[in-house]
Amino acid sequence: MRKRGARIRHQAKAAPGLIAQSLGPEYETRLRMAVEAFRGGWAQAAHFNDLADTLDLLQIGIALYPAQKADPGAAAVAELALVAMQNMRERYEQRGKLGVTGEELKAIELLADVSLDYWNRRSGALFAEAYRQLTNVRNAQREDERAAA
C-alpha cells in the first residue's frame, strides 16, 4: 500500500567534511608532505606556507561557527602550533634556513592530525566557507605586498 502523503525530499546542502576531503585529497597530501619536509630537514617556504594555511583555516573554522559544540582541543592545538610556527619564522629570519626543534615538530604533527580530524567531523559547507575566507585574506595580502613594492 502506498503512502498517501506528499513525498519529502531531503537533500544535504553540502557534502559532509569527510566526503568533501576525500573528493579533494590534495589538502591532506600537501599537509602531510609539509610535515615530512620538516621532519626530513628539507623544508622550503612553500611547506611553511602550507602549514600556515592549515593553521589559519583551522582558526577560521573555529571562529566561523561559534554555536557549535566547543572543541577546546582544537583551539589548544591551534595556539600551540601558532607559537611553534612563530618560533620557526623567527629562526628563519635570523638564520635563513627553515628547521624545527623536537617540540615544534610534535606541534606541527599534532596540528596536521587535529586539523584533518576537525574538518572530517564538520560540514563540507563550513570547510568551503573557511577556505573561501582564507583565499580572500591571502589575495588581500598579495595585493598589499604588490602595492608596497
Side-chain angles (χ1 to χ4, degrees):
M1 182 159 218
R2 183 166 180 240
K3 186 176 175 184
R4 293 183 195 176
R7 285 191 161 185
I8 299 173
R9 296 183 182 181
H10 297 285
Q11 185 175 12
K13 296 195 187 261
L18 185 61
I19 303 299
Q21 289 212 13
S22 68
L23 295 175
E26 62 275 358
Y27 171 70
E28 182 176 0
T29 304
R30 289 183 66 155
L31 180 57
R32 298 284 185 204
M33 191 55 141
V35 172
E36 287 302 317
F38 278 101
R39 179 181 291 123
W42 45 273
Q44 298 175 354
H47 297 118
F48 183 85
N49 291 341
D50 287 341
L51 289 174
D53 286 346
T54 298
L55 176 61
D56 292 343
L57 196 62
L58 181 61
Q59 289 175 330
I60 290 170
I62 291 170
L64 262 180
Y65 193 49
Q68 70 186 353
K69 185 177 178 183
D71 192 351
V77 167
E79 289 298 317
L80 179 69
L82 178 63
V83 170
M85 295 200 54
Q86 286 172 341
N87 291 341
M88 292 161 54
R89 184 181 181 119
E90 289 172 6
R91 192 176 312 111
Y92 177 73
E93 290 172 353
Q94 291 172 354
R95 298 181 186 160
K97 184 177 178 190
L98 283 169
V100 292
T101 63
E103 294 301 315
E104 292 166 351
L105 181 60
K106 289 177 186 175
I108 62 173
E109 287 173 342
L110 189 60
L111 171 66
D113 291 338
V114 168
S115 177
L116 291 170
D117 182 58
Y118 180 85
W119 290 115
N120 285 340
R121 291 183 285 120
R122 299 296 183 262
S123 73
L126 179 62
F127 181 80
E129 177 62 20
Y131 188 79
R132 186 187 64 75
Q133 287 191 14
L134 178 65
T135 303
N136 290 342
V137 167
R138 293 294 187 246
N139 289 339
Q141 287 174 342
R142 284 188 199 104
E143 289 176 12
D144 290 345
E145 288 175 0
R146 286 184 198 136

